Amino acid sequence: MEILNSILPELIRIVICAVCGAVIVFGNALVMGYAERKLAGHFMLRPGPMEVGFHGIIQLVVDGLKLMGKQLVVPAKADKPLFMLAPILAFAPVFIPLLVIPFSDKLQGFDLDVGLLLILAVASINVLAILIGGWGSNNKYSLFGAFRSVAQNVAYEIPMLISLLAIVFMTNTFSLREIAAAQSPVWFVILQPLAFLIYIVAMVAETNRAPFDLPEAESELTAGFHTEYSGMSFSLFVLGEYANMFIVCSIATVFFLGGDSGIPLPYFEYSGAIWFLAKVYALMFFLVWIRWTYPRTRFDQLMNFCWKYLIPFSLVNLLITVVMVKLI
Amino acid sequence: MNVDVLEDERHHRFVLNMGPQHPSTHGVLRVLLELEGEYAMSLQPVLGYGHRCHEKIAEYKPAKSFMPNTARMDYLGALIYNHGYAQLLEKATGIEAPQRAEYIRVITSELNRIQSHLLWYGAYLLDLGAFTPIMYSFDDREHILDILEDVTGSRLTYCYYRVGGVCRDIDDKFIAGTRQFIDRLRSRFPMYEDLVNGNVILQNRLNGIGDLTPQTCARYGVTGPLLRGTGVAYDMRRAEPYSVYPEFDFEIPTETKGDCMASFLVRFREMEQSLRIIEQALDRLPEGPIMAAKVPKKLKIPAGDYNSSVEAPRGELSYYLVADGSDTPYRLKVRTPSYSNLSVVSEQCAGMLLSDVVSAMGSLDLVIPEIDR
């Protein structure tokens, strides 16, 4: 009984966290899926989904049902276990980072001392999923997409990590909650503008979105690594992509945009969470905006940009930060 | 897949079939690529998926009845193909189209050329991964289609010209609509230039890619904007003036570098020049009949060889007719620009990155039915 009493609150906490994580992942995919299609439509002088519900508001629900009803086609000579494993591997890890993201000072699953490390470690599993999916499909375009994805994600993780490290040096902690709290007078975007810029670029590349959507470059590789996927296995990749967008935007919010800080709303205890989500979705709007504006870069230009500009600049930025932290 | 086994020194190459169903081949074109990493070491276009024997059909029916088939060869430059064919038969039989008909032909042909370039603009940027511009260019293109639909009756595969004139006269609505469209497109050009042409990613993707020289173009018979991108101001409207083109004041845009950016800019500027031609033609539009007085129902073509060339949106289009004195051609040969332009890719794209192959092939502005005719 003693043990149960001590374990029970933790168990309840875990269950609540899992449920909330699922709600966030699926809710975010619905909201972003609809918002992206609607925004893309308006960027393109067309209305976007209009048929199902008021201004197509339940289009995504219907699409989800359709995808669930579709046949899962496994190509002949595909590596079936790997082929089926890849979407799961792309989708499953997205729940873990959500546990440590501080939506406000009170709304956080677990405040780990190594929160940032956990997120970065789990986020790189995505690359493995893409590689497995591309390899297992037995399709040349998929294979190219997978190769590109691995090279790109490995390269862009470095400047991303280094730009975040500058903040870690300033705050002396890996805990996301403390980093968010450390920005009470000024947001780090003002103190670390270069790191913010580098992070934003790396963030777009990490989520494989245009103009860095080379792994799924439609005009070159038809659909890249998910060429052969259909139905739910395809939608798991998409769900994973939207969840990853949410996670990288959350990290940007926590590290650079002051986390949940903002003018407290009256009569509402969790106004911090509202501010947090507002910042996250503002960044996501930015991602959608550039996706539907710019042409795609070329692969060698993308890699050159990372190795020749982003990594040196992020290292210089880190060095300056270290010296400044030491002096002050 | 009938892909040959590669010889020993090439065995490490990766054979990729781009097409016949691929988003950036714009139709049923198949390109056999041999890749080393992402570098395409050799390219081989494989044709014939959409062959409809148009030239053979021409030998089996009266020459006048072949007019609709010309529109099906290049569905984007249908009127210009009509123009070349009508001109061919007029040359062969000595019928002369009245002045008003020639003006109408020029106006509608130039509208057709702008329409083709607008579609290319959107589709090319789509190849380069920019999804939005195609909607803007289609928005503009839609106006041309509406204008032409009013006068010709169709939206894409027009059959508007006849031997000795055009089949319907244009009205005030057409003229007002065209003038309105000219103003509209002019006001849109700065937006295209700011948003797209000056974009740094686009510049990096196109500058220095797919270099062509005038010599290479001459060897392969490459014409049109690609040739003008290398600095040769060769345009059939000037080189061998036809119809009433000599009466108009317009420039032949050229660039010197011969890369994808050069042909991109040439095509973009050609739209402006076409607008100028249309404007002048509308100002000077003469009154009068639209058909020659005596066009016989059964058109006897005197025995002999005849040739007629016009400037299609993609380059020089020639019809070569051998007649034996009957009303049916003995042989009709069509020299379509895309066919010659495509043949240069094996040389132009060898050793390029896969992404650059897509941009280089997009800059050819291929229309596959014109190749497989």
Side-chain angles (χ1 to χ4, degrees):
Chain A
M1 208 57 206
E2 277 289 299
I3 302 166
L4 191 67
N5 275 342
S6 63
I7 292 178
L8 201 59
E10 276 304 301
L11 270 179
I12 292 171
R13 198 183 174 93
I14 288 169
V15 169
I16 290 174
C17 283
V19 171
C20 288
V23 168
I24 290 171
V25 168
F26 289 103
N28 171 61
L30 283 181
V31 171
M32 274 317 288
Y34 178 70
E36 172 139 40
R37 288 176 65 176
K38 211 67 188 167
L39 286 170
H42 285 287
F43 288 138
M44 289 184 172
L45 306 171
R46 58 188 175 85
M50 288 293 278
E51 295 298 321
V52 193
F54 176 72
H55 280 248
I57 199 128
I58 47 176
Q59 178 72 48
L60 261 285
V61 180
V62 181
D63 276 356
L65 289 173
K66 179 201 75 173
L67 284 168
M68 273 183 232
K70 277 189 139 180
Q71 187 190 0
L72 291 182
V73 181
V74 182
K77 293 189 187 167
D79 196 331
K80 198 176 172 188
L82 290 185
F83 185 80
M84 299 310 272
L85 178 67
I88 299 167
L89 206 55
F91 177 62
V94 300
F95 290 96
I96 299 169
L98 291 174
L99 294 179
V100 293
I101 289 173
F103 292 94
S104 78
D105 351 315
K106 287 169 195 153
L107 275 179
Q108 188 183 16
F110 298 92
D111 183 26
L112 297 185
D113 290 338
V114 289
L116 175 64
L117 292 183
L118 181 76
I119 289 180
L120 289 173
V122 172
S124 26
I125 296 177
N126 189 33
V127 187
L128 187 65
I130 291 176
L131 181 61
I132 289 177
W135 175 260
S137 300
N138 186 32
N139 178 316
K140 292 175 179 179
Y141 294 116
S142 303
L143 193 60
F144 268 113
F147 288 165
R148 284 181 175 191
S149 170
V150 172
Q152 173 180 338
N153 284 26
V154 168
Y156 273 84
E157 242 157 49
I158 301 168
M160 191 177 191
L161 180 64
I162 298 175
S163 64
L164 293 179
L165 263 187
I167 307 281
V168 172
F169 272 108
M170 288 171 75
T171 54
N172 261 329
T173 174
F174 275 126
S175 153
L176 297 184
R177 182 203 208 128
E178 285 170 36
I179 289 168
Q183 306 175 58
S184 52
V186 266
W187 293 356
F188 285 146
V189 65
I190 295 159
L191 298 178
Q192 291 277 2
L194 184 61
F196 181 66
L197 281 178
I198 293 169
Y199 180 83
I200 292 288
V201 176
M203 171 175 103
V204 180
E206 276 293 293
T207 45
N208 293 340
R209 285 180 64 86
F212 303 141
D213 60 341
L214 292 147
E216 47 197 87
E218 188 199 299
S219 53
E220 295 150 32
L221 305 178
T222 58
F225 65 89
H226 57 54
T227 305
E228 295 287 357
Y229 284 94
S230 61
M232 261 334 261
S233 54
F234 167 74
S235 49
L236 282 183
F237 275 120
V238 177
L239 281 172
E241 184 186 318
Y242 281 126
N244 276 329
M245 274 168 70
F246 184 84
I247 291 161
V248 289
C249 290
S250 303
I251 299 175
T253 308
V254 169
F255 275 76
F256 297 101
L257 300 180
D260 60 341
S261 69
I263 305 152
L265 302 174
Y267 316 116
F268 191 59
E269 212 179 336
Y270 296 106
S271 65
I274 304 276
W275 281 109
F276 184 89
L277 288 178
K279 290 169 194 171
V280 169
Y281 280 100
L283 282 172
M284 303 248 275
F285 172 77
F286 174 74
L287 283 179
V288 173
W289 191 13
I290 59 169
R291 174 174 183 188
W292 298 104
T293 305
Y294 286 129
R296 187 181 300 117
T297 54
R298 208 170 64 206
F299 191 64
D300 57 329
Q301 290 167 349
L302 177 82
M303 298 302 275
N304 278 345
F305 186 60
C306 180
W307 292 104
K308 287 187 185 164
Y309 299 100
L310 287 188
I311 292 180
F313 275 116
S314 57
L315 283 171
V316 168
N317 185 56
L318 182 65
L319 192 70
I320 295 171
T321 311
V322 171
V323 172
M324 293 301 282
V325 166
K326 193 76 189 164
L327 289 180
I328 296 166
Chain B
M1 280 199 289
N2 51 344
V3 177
D4 297 333
V5 178
L6 297 178
E7 301 136 30
D8 266 351
E9 69 269 25
R10 297 190 298 160
H11 72 278
H12 58 285
R13 288 186 182 176
F14 191 73
V15 176
L16 184 70
N17 256 309
M18 207 162 100
Q21 285 142 347
H22 187 278
S24 61
T25 53
H26 300 285
V28 281
L29 169 71
R30 173 174 148 211
V31 183
L32 206 54
L33 294 163
E34 276 179 30
L35 299 166
E36 278 184 20
E38 282 227 9
Y39 289 91
M41 303 316 284
S42 115
L43 283 94
Q44 193 193 337
V46 183
L47 307 176
Y49 288 89
H51 193 73
R52 290 147 299 157
C53 310
H54 276 312
E55 290 172 8
K56 198 71 187 162
I57 291 170
E59 296 169 18
Y60 285 87
K61 56 185 190 179
K64 270 166 90 180
S65 330
F66 187 66
M67 189 69 83
N69 291 55
T70 61
R72 268 77 181 170
M73 287 185 212
D74 181 355
Y75 52 83
L76 293 180
L79 281 174
I80 296 162
Y81 272 59
N82 279 184
H83 198 167
Y85 191 67
Q87 204 171 273
L88 174 78
L89 295 186
E90 283 161 14
K91 263 189 190 174
T93 53
I95 297 170
E96 265 197 28
Q99 201 66 357
R100 186 176 171 86
E102 289 289 4
Y103 270 79
I104 295 173
R105 282 180 182 178
V106 166
I107 294 168
T108 45
S109 286
E110 292 306 313
L111 279 174
N112 203 196
R113 188 186 313 279
I114 298 173
Q115 177 266 119
S116 168
H117 281 355
L118 279 172
L119 191 138
W120 155 83
Y121 190 75
Y124 189 33
L125 289 161
L126 199 61
D127 282 352
L128 296 172
F131 297 94
T132 308
I134 194 171
M135 291 294 166
Y136 285 75
S137 68
F138 263 60
D139 184 23
D140 288 336
R141 183 174 172 265
E142 199 64 21
H143 286 80
I144 302 183
L145 296 186
D146 288 344
I147 292 170
L148 288 178
E149 187 185 9
D150 276 350
V151 59
T152 65
S154 40
R155 288 171 72 82
L156 196 68
T157 46
Y158 311 102
C159 181
Y160 177 48
Y161 304 158
R162 296 285 185 273
V163 180
V166 295
C167 72
R168 249 180 248 121
D169 201 356
I170 56 174
D171 50 9
D172 291 341
K173 191 184 160 205
F174 174 87
I175 295 172
T178 311
R179 284 194 191 281
Q180 217 178 347
F181 171 76
I182 293 172
D183 293 339
R184 179 198 156 89
L185 192 60
R186 282 241 168 89
S187 68
R188 300 267 282 196
F189 281 143
M191 182 192 74
Y192 285 130
E193 278 184 21
D194 290 350
L195 265 177
V196 181
N197 301 10
N199 183 296
V200 66
I201 299 177
L202 189 83
Q203 302 267 346
N204 285 337
R205 283 295 301 273
L206 298 187
N207 275 328
I209 302 302
D211 286 340
L212 286 173
T213 58
Q215 287 77 25
T216 321
C217 291
R219 268 195 290 130
Y220 285 94
V222 174
T223 48
L226 289 169
L227 179 62
R228 294 194 280 277
T230 64
V232 183
Y234 181 77
D235 187 315
M236 293 312 286
R237 291 174 293 180
R238 271 284 155 77
E240 280 175 40
Y242 58 95
S243 191
V244 284
Y245 278 109
E247 292 175 24
F248 304 120
D249 168 36
F250 64 99
E251 286 157 28
I252 309 290
T254 52
E255 286 282 320
T256 48
K257 281 199 250 147
D259 53 5
C260 289
M261 196 70 200
S263 59
F264 182 90
L265 292 174
V266 166
R267 280 207 176 86
F268 192 74
R269 289 191 202 130
E270 270 180 24
M271 289 196 268
E272 169 61 31
Q273 297 305 322
S274 292
L275 287 182
R276 271 179 70 187
I277 296 173
I278 297 170
E279 230 172 17
Q280 294 171 41
L282 286 176
D283 287 342
R284 297 188 211 156
L285 189 68
E287 293 296 323
I290 52 159
M291 273 298 277
K294 280 181 197 162
V295 180
K297 253 200 173 135
K298 192 166 179 186
L299 197 68
K300 280 252 192 274
I301 306 168
D305 295 7
Y306 306 97
N307 181 56
S308 142
S309 300
V310 291
E311 182 69 25
R314 277 151 280 280
E316 179 186 341
L317 162 73
S318 293
Y319 288 97
Y320 182 68
L321 172 76
V322 181
D324 54 3
S326 71
D327 66 337
T328 310
Y330 175 75
R331 172 83 171 92
L332 180 74
K333 161 75 184 151
V334 191
R335 184 249 185 239
T336 53
S338 280
Y339 188 85
S340 314
N341 292 359
L342 177 69
S343 62
V344 82
V345 291
S346 312
E347 182 173 323
Q348 185 194 12
C349 299
M352 266 188 190
L353 277 170
L354 189 58
S355 325
D356 290 341
V357 171
V358 170
S359 20
M361 289 208 354
S363 81
L364 303 178
D365 187 15
L366 297 175
V367 168
I368 308 301
E370 176 190 358
I371 300 169
D372 282 343
R373 57 191 177 273

